Amino acid sequence: MNFGYETPSSVAMFLGQDGIFLGVQPSSEVNVVKLTNDVEKVVNELNAGVLSKEQLEIQWLNDDRPYIVGSVDLVQKNIMIGGVLAIFILILFLRSISPTAVVSVAIPISIIGTFIILSAMGRSLNTISLAGISFAVGMLVDSAIVVLENIDRHRKSGDPIFEAAYKG
């Protein structure tokens, strides 16, 4: 984290009064929502303490938290809806519970595994990583359908179940 200041080169006005604009520029590996929550806590403490005595106040001009939280919630909902629809389509076309159950279990296992790996690597969850997970769920379902169809083809040609699974 780097702290610094810039030499004044212009006048800052807020609601017709002189002001000073402070900005917090997060680095790429920072969780913006957590950082903004931490900064808000410090600003509230300053407003209630030192700045209050000097009749000064820090006011928020921009807050990206609602957009970020809303985007993450939307992607999470889309992943859930996509998973449920994929399971429904699998039941509809495969007409069998056991292959559908395999894919239905594989989806949450792969998503949970992804969250564990992201956490272990110190990566924060963001809209881009959630979009990647939603694409991966689609690829997982597509690959599972191809593999299940291939296993079914081997079973129909007379292979035992374990050999059909291995070949599929």
Side-chain angles (χ1 to χ4, degrees), residues 3-27:
F3 291 97
Y5 64 93
E6 187 174 319
T7 305
S9 59
S10 61
V11 176
M13 302 279 299
F14 180 70
L15 298 175
Q17 296 182 348
D18 291 341
I20 299 172
F21 288 87
L22 302 172
V24 176
Q25 194 70 29
S27 61

Short mmCIF file of all heavy atoms in Angstrom, two decimals, residues 3-27:
data_model
loop_
_atom_site.label_atom_id
_atom_site.label_comp_id
_atom_site.label_asym_id
_atom_site.label_seq_id
_atom_site.Cartn_x
_atom_site.Cartn_y
_atom_site.Cartn_z
N PHE A 3 1.05 5.42 0.23
CA PHE A 3 0.37 6.63 0.62
C PHE A 3 1.14 7.81 0.05
O PHE A 3 2.36 7.78 -0.05
CB PHE A 3 0.31 6.77 2.15
CG PHE A 3 -0.58 5.76 2.81
CD1 PHE A 3 -0.05 4.60 3.35
CD2 PHE A 3 -1.95 5.96 2.87
CE1 PHE A 3 -0.86 3.67 3.95
CE2 PHE A 3 -2.77 5.02 3.46
CZ PHE A 3 -2.22 3.88 4.01
N GLY A 4 0.43 8.84 -0.34
CA GLY A 4 1.12 10.00 -0.87
C GLY A 4 0.15 11.14 -1.07
O GLY A 4 -1.04 11.05 -0.74
N TYR A 5 0.63 12.20 -1.62
CA TYR A 5 -0.21 13.36 -1.89
C TYR A 5 0.23 13.95 -3.21
O TYR A 5 1.30 13.67 -3.73
CB TYR A 5 -0.12 14.40 -0.77
CG TYR A 5 1.25 15.01 -0.62
CD1 TYR A 5 1.57 16.18 -1.29
CD2 TYR A 5 2.21 14.41 0.17
CE1 TYR A 5 2.83 16.73 -1.18
CE2 TYR A 5 3.47 14.96 0.29
CZ TYR A 5 3.78 16.12 -0.39
OH TYR A 5 5.03 16.66 -0.28
N GLU A 6 -0.63 14.77 -3.76
CA GLU A 6 -0.36 15.41 -5.03
C GLU A 6 -0.36 16.92 -4.80
O GLU A 6 -1.16 17.45 -4.02
CB GLU A 6 -1.46 15.02 -6.02
CG GLU A 6 -1.19 15.49 -7.42
CD GLU A 6 -2.24 14.94 -8.38
OE1 GLU A 6 -2.60 13.78 -8.26
OE2 GLU A 6 -2.68 15.73 -9.24
N THR A 7 0.53 17.60 -5.48
CA THR A 7 0.58 19.05 -5.38
C THR A 7 -0.69 19.64 -5.98
O THR A 7 -1.08 19.24 -7.08
CB THR A 7 1.81 19.60 -6.13
OG1 THR A 7 2.98 18.94 -5.63
CG2 THR A 7 1.95 21.10 -5.95
N PRO A 8 -1.35 20.57 -5.27
CA PRO A 8 -2.60 21.13 -5.81
C PRO A 8 -2.37 21.81 -7.16
O PRO A 8 -1.43 22.58 -7.32
CB PRO A 8 -3.02 22.16 -4.76
CG PRO A 8 -2.25 21.84 -3.53
CD PRO A 8 -1.01 21.14 -3.98
N SER A 9 -3.22 21.47 -8.12
CA SER A 9 -3.10 22.09 -9.45
C SER A 9 -4.44 22.66 -9.91
O SER A 9 -4.52 23.22 -10.99
CB SER A 9 -2.60 21.05 -10.46
OG SER A 9 -3.49 19.96 -10.53
N SER A 10 -5.47 22.50 -9.09
CA SER A 10 -6.78 23.03 -9.46
C SER A 10 -7.58 23.29 -8.19
O SER A 10 -7.16 22.92 -7.09
CB SER A 10 -7.52 22.06 -10.37
OG SER A 10 -7.73 20.85 -9.70
N VAL A 11 -8.73 23.91 -8.35
CA VAL A 11 -9.60 24.22 -7.23
C VAL A 11 -10.68 23.15 -7.16
O VAL A 11 -11.26 22.78 -8.18
CB VAL A 11 -10.24 25.61 -7.39
CG1 VAL A 11 -11.23 25.89 -6.27
CG2 VAL A 11 -9.18 26.68 -7.44
N ALA A 12 -10.94 22.64 -5.97
CA ALA A 12 -11.99 21.63 -5.78
C ALA A 12 -13.17 22.29 -5.09
O ALA A 12 -13.01 22.90 -4.04
CB ALA A 12 -11.46 20.49 -4.92
N MET A 13 -14.33 22.17 -5.73
CA MET A 13 -15.54 22.75 -5.16
C MET A 13 -16.57 21.65 -4.98
O MET A 13 -16.71 20.77 -5.82
CB MET A 13 -16.12 23.81 -6.11
CG MET A 13 -15.18 24.96 -6.44
SD MET A 13 -15.10 26.25 -5.22
CE MET A 13 -16.73 26.87 -5.14
N PHE A 14 -17.28 21.71 -3.85
CA PHE A 14 -18.35 20.76 -3.58
C PHE A 14 -19.51 21.54 -3.01
O PHE A 14 -19.39 22.17 -1.95
CB PHE A 14 -17.88 19.67 -2.61
CG PHE A 14 -18.94 18.66 -2.29
CD1 PHE A 14 -19.35 17.75 -3.24
CD2 PHE A 14 -19.54 18.63 -1.04
CE1 PHE A 14 -20.34 16.81 -2.96
CE2 PHE A 14 -20.52 17.69 -0.75
CZ PHE A 14 -20.92 16.78 -1.71
N LEU A 15 -20.64 21.52 -3.70
CA LEU A 15 -21.84 22.27 -3.31
C LEU A 15 -21.52 23.75 -3.07
O LEU A 15 -21.97 24.36 -2.10
CB LEU A 15 -22.48 21.65 -2.06
CG LEU A 15 -22.97 20.21 -2.21
CD1 LEU A 15 -23.48 19.68 -0.88
CD2 LEU A 15 -24.06 20.11 -3.28
N GLY A 16 -20.68 24.30 -3.95
CA GLY A 16 -20.36 25.72 -3.90
C GLY A 16 -19.34 26.12 -2.85
O GLY A 16 -19.11 27.30 -2.65
N GLN A 17 -18.72 25.17 -2.18
CA GLN A 17 -17.72 25.49 -1.17
C GLN A 17 -16.40 24.82 -1.54
O GLN A 17 -16.38 23.79 -2.21
CB GLN A 17 -18.17 24.99 0.20
CG GLN A 17 -19.42 25.67 0.72
CD GLN A 17 -19.81 25.17 2.10
OE1 GLN A 17 -19.28 24.18 2.58
NE2 GLN A 17 -20.75 25.86 2.74
N ASP A 18 -15.31 25.43 -1.06
CA ASP A 18 -14.00 24.82 -1.29
C ASP A 18 -13.95 23.45 -0.64
O ASP A 18 -14.54 23.23 0.42
CB ASP A 18 -12.88 25.69 -0.68
CG ASP A 18 -12.70 27.00 -1.44
OD1 ASP A 18 -13.16 27.07 -2.60
OD2 ASP A 18 -12.10 27.93 -0.89
N GLY A 19 -13.26 22.56 -1.27
CA GLY A 19 -13.16 21.22 -0.72
C GLY A 19 -11.86 20.54 -1.13
O GLY A 19 -11.11 21.05 -1.95
N ILE A 20 -11.62 19.42 -0.54
CA ILE A 20 -10.46 18.59 -0.87
C ILE A 20 -11.02 17.21 -1.24
O ILE A 20 -11.84 16.65 -0.50
CB ILE A 20 -9.51 18.46 0.33
CG1 ILE A 20 -8.97 19.81 0.74
CG2 ILE A 20 -8.38 17.49 0.00
CD1 ILE A 20 -8.17 19.78 2.03
N PHE A 21 -10.58 16.71 -2.37
CA PHE A 21 -11.03 15.39 -2.80
C PHE A 21 -9.97 14.36 -2.46
O PHE A 21 -8.80 14.54 -2.79
CB PHE A 21 -11.31 15.38 -4.31
CG PHE A 21 -12.54 16.15 -4.68
CD1 PHE A 21 -12.49 17.51 -4.94
CD2 PHE A 21 -13.76 15.50 -4.77
CE1 PHE A 21 -13.63 18.21 -5.28
CE2 PHE A 21 -14.90 16.19 -5.10
CZ PHE A 21 -14.84 17.56 -5.36
N LEU A 22 -10.40 13.31 -1.77
CA LEU A 22 -9.52 12.20 -1.44
C LEU A 22 -9.98 10.98 -2.22
O LEU A 22 -11.17 10.73 -2.33
CB LEU A 22 -9.58 11.88 0.06
CG LEU A 22 -9.23 13.01 1.02
CD1 LEU A 22 -9.55 12.59 2.44
CD2 LEU A 22 -7.77 13.35 0.88
N GLY A 23 -9.02 10.25 -2.73
CA GLY A 23 -9.38 9.05 -3.47
C GLY A 23 -8.61 7.85 -2.96
O GLY A 23 -7.48 7.97 -2.52
N VAL A 24 -9.24 6.71 -2.99
CA VAL A 24 -8.59 5.45 -2.63
C VAL A 24 -8.54 4.62 -3.90
O VAL A 24 -9.59 4.31 -4.47
CB VAL A 24 -9.36 4.71 -1.52
CG1 VAL A 24 -8.72 3.37 -1.23
CG2 VAL A 24 -9.45 5.57 -0.27
N GLN A 25 -7.35 4.31 -4.35
CA GLN A 25 -7.16 3.54 -5.58
C GLN A 25 -6.72 2.13 -5.21
O GLN A 25 -5.59 1.92 -4.82
CB GLN A 25 -6.09 4.23 -6.44
CG GLN A 25 -6.03 3.75 -7.85
CD GLN A 25 -7.24 4.19 -8.66
OE1 GLN A 25 -7.84 5.21 -8.40
NE2 GLN A 25 -7.63 3.38 -9.62
N PRO A 26 -7.64 1.14 -5.33
CA PRO A 26 -7.26 -0.22 -4.93
C PRO A 26 -6.36 -0.87 -5.97
O PRO A 26 -6.44 -0.57 -7.16
CB PRO A 26 -8.61 -0.94 -4.87
CG PRO A 26 -9.49 -0.18 -5.79
CD PRO A 26 -9.02 1.24 -5.76
N SER A 27 -5.50 -1.76 -5.51
CA SER A 27 -4.70 -2.55 -6.43
C SER A 27 -5.56 -3.69 -6.97
O SER A 27 -6.66 -3.94 -6.48
CB SER A 27 -3.45 -3.08 -5.73
OG SER A 27 -3.80 -3.91 -4.65
#
